Amino acid sequence: MKILVIAEHLNNQLISATLNAVGAAKTLASYTSDSTIDVLVAGHQCSDVAQECQRISGVNNVLHAEAEYYAGGLAENVAQLVLEVTENESYDAIISASTTFGKNVSPRISALLDVAQVSDVTSIENVGIYQRYIYTSNILLTLESKEKVQILTIRTTAFEKAGMEGQAEVKNIAAAADVGLSQFVRTELVESDRPDLSTASVVVSGGRGLGSDQNYRDILEPLADKLGAALGASRAAVDAGYVPNDYQVGQTGKIVAPELYIAVGISGAIQHLAGMSDSKVIVAINKDPDAPIFQYADYGLEGDLFTLVPELTECLAQS
Amino acid sequence: MKILVPIKRVVDYNVKVRLKSDRSGVDLDNVKMSINPFDEIAIEQAVRLKEAGVASEVVVVSVGSQGCQDIIRTALAVGADRGIHVLAEDGIEPLSVAKTLKAVAEQESPKLLLLGKQAIDDDSNQTGQMLAALLHWPQGTFASEMEIEGEELTVTREVDAGLEVLKMPLPAVVTCDLRLNEPRYASLPNIMKAKRKPIDTLDISSLGVDTTPRFTAVSYAMPEQRKGGVMVSSIDELIEKLKSEAKVL
């Protein structure tokens, strides 16, 4: 089968979730013979991204479309391009990562192709047989799709990243006409030296128990620095204004699956658990012995986070 | 201008759902149902736009079984002007819902379609985008702020790296994120008033939409529960366990 993966990029850099999407494409390809995987790079002055995509293992062709109106990854224009590319090349499957970019663009493509989309796939069992969570990760659904084009967004933490030992060919393709519906104005990025939350191997996450933005920084940053960890937050901490919303882990925020997740002052609402319960090891530090998080944590420590977390940081510094 | 707000009746977000005993689906008998939380935000936004004099009429529409009347009534109590109930089976797939809503939008000619970004039951996050595609309208998904000036809409979107700002002409589709606003509660007088507001009922078959499912459920399962772990009594013990037992340090 012919599979198209839609690359995601920002500031002329490939977003690593694309590698997970290629990983999922390889899984899908493994169920049929004679499969090919192409990657589509649509953007403005993004030839570096196209070159980077050449090196992704398992990719046959990189299709590169260049136009000013692909800046910002506008859904209207990217979807129109994918529609035309799909009709020309008759792809059997279109895969994007279930990031905000993929979630924005992919359903638009699906509707234009009159095909139903499977969102946030966590497992590909065969061509047309997928698993995904419903009801805030409380139910695992296995479903079958007989659609003519299989359109999937994939949960990045559920698929291995493809390696970078490939030698694909870059084909420059014509841009589709400007749909002219919306206009990209600007992105307001959150600057950080820390690892990316979605892909970090250690995540330190704080909740309302921290009490203030100052406490969040004073208590959690030294620990995260010591562990080389990304910082996350519960929705309560975001809503209270301790940190910006892109720190949020949970059903409506980011889904993470690090080696080690340290939940500090987080009670463990199901909406939060939906975003981190696939972590390998979960540590909870909370003063409330009845906090639901303790039922999920591998190691729970009951007590005052304001003394325990600095002590943990200190002990790690010594050892 | 008229705003159309599609809303969905879902299991209340506080309910811990279970499977039916034969595992053929999710047990929804005698479970509390509510408006999808993201849709409450869409209703609130539409009502605020009306209060600000930007919108002239707010129409809510829900596609599903008889129970949808209740959530339409709730939306009317919060400030929507009238309701449309498209009578259909529950659990119609997002693509079919989008086609249904397109048909309703063509009858109603709103300038703005405000939806929740996803339903908390199927967690698809598709309908708004599909609806925008079918109407050939621009889309502002995951909106945390929006501003309308004349015929132009500015939307601030929540994206992975932070925020993104887009401009688009009306008519447009906007899907609401949690931080767009804080929905209000309906007051008792408004609940009483809502009883007199009109709700039109349409049968989905009258809209000419093919709702044949594209997917079949193969199986439902409860995800593997994490094993309850151990409580440790000190930081030293925690570090020791993380090093020797979990081997993550």
Side-chain angles (χ1 to χ4, degrees):
Chain A
M1 71 189 304
K2 290 185 71 175
I3 304 170
L4 181 69
V5 174
I6 304 171
E8 179 177 352
H9 54 95
L10 183 67
N11 296 335
N12 211 7
Q13 287 190 323
L14 187 68
I15 300 286
S16 70
T18 308
L19 303 178
N20 301 95
V22 174
K26 287 167 121 173
T27 307
L28 185 61
S30 71
Y31 294 109
T32 57
S33 52
D34 288 339
S35 288
T36 58
I37 299 171
D38 293 355
V39 172
L40 176 69
V41 178
H44 181 46
Q45 293 170 347
C46 63
S47 48
D48 288 357
V49 176
Q51 279 168 23
E52 205 176 340
C53 288
Q54 277 186 291
R55 298 193 288 116
I56 305 175
S57 304
V59 172
N60 297 82
N61 300 297
V62 177
L63 312 181
H64 178 201
E66 181 71 35
E68 212 172 318
Y69 46 81
Y70 292 139
L74 291 173
E76 296 83 355
N77 279 321
V78 174
Q80 184 60 35
L81 175 68
V82 175
L83 175 73
E84 291 181 17
V85 169
T86 306
E87 284 176 351
N88 289 339
E89 301 286 332
S90 48
Y91 286 104
D92 306 297
I94 302 172
I95 298 180
S96 349
S98 187
T99 53
T100 50
F101 169 79
K103 288 186 223 178
N104 187 39
V105 174
S106 188
R108 192 162 180 119
I109 298 164
S110 305
L112 294 175
L113 288 167
D114 192 23
V115 161
Q117 167 186 305
V118 191
S119 292
D120 214 12
V121 171
T122 53
S123 172
I124 297 173
E125 305 285 295
N126 204 333
V127 176
I129 310 273
Y130 311 104
Q131 289 189 335
R132 61 182 301 265
Y133 286 105
I134 54 176
Y135 291 90
T136 320
S137 298
N138 279 303
I139 307 281
L140 181 62
L141 169 67
T142 306
L143 62 82
E144 179 169 19
S145 161
K146 292 205 163 70
E147 293 289 60
K148 59 184 190 280
V149 184
Q150 302 280 316
I151 301 189
L152 317 176
T153 64
I154 61 102
R155 182 174 289 194
T156 51
T157 54
F159 293 92
E160 294 278 335
K161 283 183 171 47
M164 295 299 283
E165 305 86 32
Q167 284 181 318
E169 197 181 326
V170 174
K171 292 181 176 170
N172 291 311
I173 59 166
D178 186 3
V179 178
L181 284 173
S182 65
Q183 197 189 330
F184 173 73
V185 180
R186 65 177 184 275
T187 308
E188 294 165 12
L189 301 182
V190 177
E191 299 294 335
S192 174
D193 297 332
R194 297 184 193 286
D196 176 45
L197 178 56
S198 312
T199 54
S201 61
V202 182
V203 172
V204 174
S205 224
R208 201 195 289 279
L210 283 151
S212 72
D213 54 341
Q214 189 67 42
N215 289 342
Y216 182 97
R217 286 196 298 276
D218 291 350
I219 300 282
L220 296 190
E221 281 183 358
L223 177 61
D225 287 342
K226 195 50 60 195
L227 292 165
L231 280 170
S234 68
R235 181 167 171 226
V238 173
D239 283 350
Y242 304 169
V243 285
N245 65 277
D246 58 320
Y247 280 55
Q248 187 182 322
V249 172
Q251 185 193 22
T252 58
K254 294 201 171 88
I255 311 277
V256 301
E259 294 283 300
L260 174 61
Y261 188 91
I262 304 180
V264 177
I266 291 176
S267 64
I270 51 172
Q271 292 85 350
H272 186 74
L273 298 168
M276 45 66 86
S277 58
D278 280 339
S279 305
K280 188 166 161 241
V281 175
I282 297 173
V283 171
I285 299 176
N286 205 301
K287 67 175 180 209
D288 175 9
D290 298 323
I293 190 81
F294 285 132
Q295 291 163 26
Y296 294 85
D298 300 279
Y299 303 105
L301 183 54
E302 182 197 332
D304 183 8
L305 67 91
F306 294 101
T307 53
L308 290 172
V309 177
E311 190 188 335
L312 175 59
T313 309
E314 181 65 23
C315 289
L316 289 169
Q318 283 169 6
S319 60
Chain B
M1 78 179 196
K2 188 195 282 188
I3 302 179
L4 189 60
V5 185
I7 60 175
K8 186 175 184 184
R9 179 173 174 264
V10 298
V11 170
D12 189 87
Y13 74 98
N14 283 312
V15 172
K16 178 118 177 101
V17 294
R18 291 191 181 80
L19 289 181
K20 291 179 185 168
S21 52
D22 62 358
R23 297 166 85 86
S24 64
V26 179
D27 188 359
L28 298 179
D29 290 343
N30 305 313
V31 171
K32 186 182 177 205
M33 305 293 281
S34 302
I35 302 182
N36 180 44
F38 291 100
D39 304 349
E40 288 187 316
I41 294 166
I43 298 163
E44 175 67 29
Q45 192 66 19
V47 172
R48 286 186 190 188
L49 286 167
K50 193 181 171 198
E51 288 166 346
V54 177
S56 53
E57 189 183 27
V58 175
V59 182
V60 291
V61 52
S62 190
V63 183
S65 65
Q66 199 57 40
C68 292
Q69 294 267 340
D70 298 344
I71 63 159
I72 293 173
R73 208 51 86 183
T74 307
L76 296 176
V78 173
D81 296 296
R82 64 186 170 87
I84 300 171
H85 176 204
V86 181
L87 195 57
E89 276 174 62
D90 285 323
I92 294 181
E93 292 170 2
L95 183 59
S96 301
V97 173
K99 289 177 177 180
T100 307
L101 294 174
K102 176 187 184 241
V104 174
E106 280 167 350
Q107 287 179 9
E108 293 285 331
S109 312
K111 268 284 163 84
L112 182 65
L113 272 155
L114 269 175
L115 296 85
K117 76 163 180 181
Q118 77 187 60
I120 60 163
D121 52 1
D122 69 355
D123 284 327
S124 289
N125 194 330
Q126 297 176 3
T127 305
Q129 295 89 314
M130 289 178 155
L131 180 55
L134 296 172
L135 289 164
H136 300 289
W137 288 6
Q139 67 189 49
T141 53
F142 325 143
S144 60
E145 264 179 73
M146 56 184 289
E147 206 176 314
I148 294 172
E149 263 184 86
E151 292 290 303
E152 189 171 70
L153 168 70
T154 304
V155 183
T156 303
R157 308 178 53 231
E158 294 194 11
V159 294
D160 289 330
L163 298 171
E164 178 183 279
V165 182
L166 302 181
K167 272 189 199 301
M168 58 193 69
L170 297 173
V173 174
V174 171
T175 73
C176 304
D177 217 319
L178 281 170
R179 266 164 290 276
L180 184 61
N181 61 47
E182 184 119 356
R184 73 192 71 184
Y185 292 100
S187 64
L188 190 59
N190 286 341
I191 293 171
M192 299 310 288
K193 258 191 259 173
K195 293 192 168 150
R196 293 193 299 272
K197 291 182 179 176
I199 301 178
D200 290 331
T201 303
L202 302 170
D203 198 278
I204 194 162
S205 59
S206 72
L207 296 170
V209 178
D210 177 11
T211 56
T212 313
R214 308 291 184 93
F215 300 136
T216 44
V218 175
S219 67
Y220 294 86
M222 301 295 281
E224 250 174 71
Q225 290 293 322
R226 291 187 74 95
K227 281 182 290 196
V230 294
M231 296 299 287
V232 295
S233 56
S234 70
I235 288 291
D236 287 339
E237 190 188 348
L238 175 64
I239 291 178
E240 170 58 27
K241 295 260 190 204
L242 289 176
K243 279 187 174 157
S244 58
E245 206 175 84
K247 297 185 174 31
V248 287
L249 281 185

